Amino acid sequence: MDTLLKTLADEKRREILRLVWSEELGATEIAQHFPNVTRTAISQQLSLMKRVGLLNERRAGTHRFYRAQHREVLRVQQFLNGYWSDSLQRLKELAEAIEKGEVTA
Amino acid sequence: MDTLLKTLADEKRREILRLVWSEELGATEIAQHFPNVTRTAISQQLSLMKRVGLLNERRAGTHRFYRAQHREVLRVQQFLNGYWSDSLQRLKELAEAIEKGEVTA
DNA sequence: GTCATATGTTAGCATTTTCTAACGTAAGGA
DNA sequence: TCCTTACGTTAGAAAATGCTAACATATGAC
């Protein structure tokens, strides 16, 4: 779990995750979203994220398409929501608050 | 937010947070829960956690008592729950699943 | 086979993190 | 005042992280 949380504790990686949240993208395409970082760096992040289970890889010819592994993100959310004692109560309150539009989802 | 998440991405710090979640403890007392780490290391973690807002400090004579700042943890939970697009739907499902006992809170 | 495209891998460096050991400080009791 | 207790701070070493540059591999087009 530490590894997963640590991986999410980085804006760049969260941005990658959002890019491939609902559509799969190739490594080059993903890298192009980050003008200030090398393709190499992104490639390393992708393989890290794949290793911890946050990304899924599909190979097709010379391409490799990545997409988010929603289940793992949900695992982290559940973990954090449940880690501290009275969090069930707060989770329910949060869900209600979101429904009422009191906080932003 | 990165800083907060990163701080939580460490089992030792999460353990500290749990120790002072519902009662305040002194630094020495906290350190005694970690036989394998120096008091100095714990002291540094405490001041880090205080800096990022996860802990609150109350001084009394020669003692310094720490306690968890629930609000900041809630902020992280909200952030993660809300960060990805369809998470509201999943949050609601999660809350229901927890109520039905299908997953562990 | 030859070349271009898409992508991973490796080596090396800089930065950050975390820990220990030694030292500093402040409050309270004898 | 002197000593103890409870802590923090600093310096320095060790390990982890993230990035760039250079090189390797594999697929497909011609």
Side-chain angles (χ1 to χ4, degrees):
Chain A
M1 180 53 70
D2 274 34
T3 321
L4 257 178
L5 258 176
K6 216 165 162 186
T7 306
L8 286 180
D10 181 283
E11 168 60 24
K12 199 169 299 158
R13 288 190 286 252
R14 286 196 304 272
E15 182 63 26
I16 290 178
L17 203 54
R18 279 204 302 177
L19 284 174
V20 298
W21 187 257
S22 44
E23 60 169 343
E24 58 176 21
L25 292 176
T28 302
E29 225 167 341
I30 294 173
Q32 284 168 346
H33 277 84
F34 300 90
N36 304 320
V37 193
T38 321
R39 184 189 57 77
T40 301
I42 297 299
S43 175
Q44 285 167 355
Q45 298 288 13
L46 290 175
S47 94
L48 167 67
M49 294 173 75
K50 196 180 93 183
R51 187 169 40 225
V52 306
L54 279 174
L55 292 186
N56 200 284
E57 177 193 287
R58 179 176 70 85
R59 302 195 182 188
T62 169
H63 288 76
R64 299 196 190 186
F65 295 102
Y66 293 93
R67 71 161 201 276
Q69 197 79 48
H70 298 198
R71 171 177 313 194
E72 287 304 296
V73 175
L74 181 57
R75 275 214 322 130
V76 177
Q77 293 172 333
Q78 280 187 237
F79 176 78
L80 268 192
N81 288 332
Y83 198 77
W84 290 276
S85 54
D86 56 333
S87 51
L88 171 55
Q89 186 52 41
R90 281 179 294 104
L91 175 61
K92 286 163 63 182
E93 288 167 4
L94 171 60
E96 285 164 21
I98 290 177
E99 285 218 308
K100 291 178 186 165
E102 290 168 9
V103 296
T104 303
Chain B
M1 180 52 71
D2 274 34
T3 320
L4 257 178
L5 259 176
K6 213 167 164 185
T7 306
L8 286 180
D10 181 281
E11 169 60 24
K12 199 168 300 158
R13 288 190 287 251
R14 286 197 304 272
E15 183 61 26
I16 290 178
L17 203 54
R18 277 204 303 178
L19 285 174
V20 298
W21 188 257
S22 43
E23 61 169 344
E24 58 176 20
L25 292 176
T28 302
E29 223 166 343
I30 294 173
Q32 284 168 347
H33 277 84
F34 300 91
N36 304 321
V37 194
T38 322
R39 184 190 57 78
T40 301
I42 297 298
S43 174
Q44 285 168 355
Q45 298 288 13
L46 289 175
S47 94
L48 167 67
M49 292 173 73
K50 195 180 94 184
R51 184 165 358 129
V52 305
L54 279 174
L55 293 185
N56 202 282
E57 178 193 288
R58 179 176 71 86
R59 301 195 183 188
T62 170
H63 289 75
R64 299 197 189 185
F65 294 103
Y66 293 93
R67 71 163 200 275
Q69 195 80 49
H70 299 197
R71 173 178 311 196
E72 287 305 297
V73 176
L74 182 56
R75 275 212 324 129
V76 177
Q77 292 173 333
Q78 280 188 238
F79 176 78
L80 269 193
N81 287 332
Y83 198 77
W84 290 277
S85 53
D86 55 333
S87 52
L88 170 57
Q89 185 52 39
R90 280 179 295 104
L91 175 62
K92 285 164 63 182
E93 289 167 4
L94 171 61
E96 284 163 20
I98 290 176
E99 285 218 306
K100 291 179 186 166
E102 291 168 8
V103 296
T104 304

